Amino acid sequence: MASIKEQFHRLHPREYANFTYAYPVLSRRSGGVSLGVNLNLDKFCNFDCPYCQVDRTTPGREQKLDLPRIREEVEALLQSVDSGGVCRLAIFDAVPDSDKKLRDVALSGDGEPTMVPEFPDVCALLHEIQAGHPALDFKLVLITNATLLDRPKVRAGVEALLALRGEVWAKLDAGTEDWFQRVNVSRVSLDRIESNLIELGRSSPFKVQSFFGRMKGAEGSGARQGWDAAEVEAYLQRLTRIRDSGARILEVQLYTLARPPSDAHVTAVDKTFLENMRARIEALDIPARVYGGD
Ligand code: SF4
């Protein structure tokens, strides 16, 4: 039977009480409690990943960010953290103290957070909140698909997020443009994402998040179904180029499907595949870790 921690890891509700933006989760990748901030109420994203777990069958809400409300909600959740850094929210009552320490406040929502015009203002606000709680040891995290990291306003926001303690966790799901367009579906090219990651990593070490899955349903079309040897090589070459261009990769987080995706043609890879990929990445001298995959 799954432990209480594992049961929480499988859930990722973006709703909490009567809050609009902020939500607490027990996060495997954070190693404790992460306070998420969802900036994409309208569920807009400039990717259309078939493995996306955002429910777009129901329409999003009106996208007009209320910064004072974001502050109020994040501050209210921070009030539940005791002097030992343990989050005392009632929803985590059954979780042992050692597993529910506050780790981060993360911009992670129902779409791409850097698309939101108020992104730099939200980053400045979170920086201010973090600076106002010197006794609490938590990071600010941006979870992004990296498409817009070359925009000056987005860069300014990222700088504010990283000013005290922060990290960017950026998506890299493919080695070839062909697989990238199947698994992420975007007008932005994979080469541009690579160059954005190089620029970011030259000034700020970051984590890479890579989704591994397979796509059924295009048999005979010539389209890639999944991670064949050429795709794996191209992906490893991209990681190598990013690292050799002077960018520091703190860790590659490898994962596969954990919950039902938006497109039923997407299936998970097995744990052995993920572990083999981890070993190949570590052989490049880049830290890597598998999250999920049974
Ligand atoms: S980038 Fe994230 S939010 Fe956007 S479609 Fe892909 S998985 Fe969904």
Side-chain angles (χ1 to χ4, degrees):
M1 194 175 145
S3 70
I4 187 76
K5 186 166 81 168
E6 287 163 344
Q7 290 174 38
F8 267 102
H9 286 160
R10 284 181 197 157
L11 301 169
H12 251 269
R14 293 219 171 91
E15 271 113 46
Y16 175 71
N18 58 348
F19 285 24
T20 303
Y21 303 97
Y23 57 94
V25 290
L26 207 63
S27 161
R28 198 194 308 256
R29 281 170 230 191
S30 298
V33 171
S34 173
L35 304 181
V37 181
N38 179 14
L39 300 186
N40 302 89
L41 303 181
D42 56 8
K43 303 186 183 177
F44 277 12
C45 189
N46 56 357
F47 273 13
D48 188 11
C49 310
Y51 67 81
C52 186
Q53 285 160 358
V54 174
D55 176 10
R56 292 192 171 80
T57 56
T58 56
R61 288 169 280 170
E62 194 197 351
Q63 179 73 23
K64 179 145 184 17
L65 290 192
D66 179 345
L67 269 74
R69 179 91 192 249
I70 294 176
R71 179 194 291 277
E72 211 176 282
E73 292 184 1
V74 173
E75 289 285 9
L77 292 175
L78 289 174
Q79 290 308 317
S80 71
V81 181
D82 71 15
S83 58
V86 177
C87 180
R88 296 285 171 206
L89 288 172
I91 54 163
F92 298 134
D93 274 354
V95 178
D97 285 6
S98 55
D99 292 332
K100 57 182 182 186
K101 288 208 162 186
L102 174 68
R103 300 298 182 195
D104 57 59
V105 173
L107 286 173
S108 155
D110 288 341
E112 171 52 36
T114 60
M115 286 176 72
V116 174
E118 299 91 341
F119 174 76
D121 307 316
V122 176
C123 293
L125 169 69
L126 293 183
H127 168 75
E128 212 182 298
I129 292 174
Q130 187 186 36
H133 291 273
L136 293 182
D137 182 19
F138 66 92
K139 283 187 260 188
L140 299 179
V141 172
L142 168 65
I143 300 180
T144 177
N145 63 23
T147 47
L148 305 178
L149 292 179
D150 52 348
R151 291 200 178 164
K153 278 187 155 187
V154 172
R155 251 190 246 162
V158 171
E159 272 170 33
L161 271 191
L162 302 181
L164 284 177
R165 255 162 304 130
E167 268 171 18
V168 175
W169 297 1
K171 192 183 279 302
L172 181 69
D173 286 347
T176 64
E177 183 70 25
D178 175 32
W179 182 241
F180 169 68
Q181 289 302 342
R182 293 212 71 205
V183 84
N184 294 135
V185 190
S186 174
R187 281 197 226 166
V188 179
S189 73
L190 187 55
D191 283 346
R192 181 163 148 203
I193 288 170
E194 180 180 314
S195 86
N196 285 353
L197 293 180
I198 290 170
E199 276 313 304
L200 168 72
R202 280 178 175 156
S203 55
S204 324
F206 66 98
K207 291 185 179 172
V208 170
Q209 296 196 313
S210 293
F211 169 81
F212 294 87
R214 304 196 188 282
M215 301 262 294
K216 290 191 218 149
E219 289 83 358
S221 68
R224 251 197 182 96
Q225 312 289 312
W227 286 79
D228 56 18
E231 191 60 39
V232 170
E233 273 316 312
Y235 169 81
L236 295 172
Q237 281 168 16
R238 280 201 192 265
L239 284 180
T240 307
R241 274 198 303 274
I242 293 169
R243 193 265 319 274
D244 291 351
S245 303
R248 200 169 137 224
I249 300 174
L250 293 168
E251 179 181 78
V252 179
Q253 304 178 337
L254 301 92
Y255 70 106
T256 187
L257 278 186
R259 294 178 288 279
S262 58
D263 182 336
H265 292 111
V266 185
T267 56
V269 295
D270 60 25
K271 184 103 180 188
T272 309
F273 179 89
L274 291 176
E275 288 297 346
N276 286 341
M277 285 304 298
R278 181 189 55 72
R280 299 278 310 264
I281 296 166
E282 285 182 342
L284 303 172
D285 225 7
I286 298 173
R289 197 161 161 197
V290 170
Y291 291 85
D294 299 316

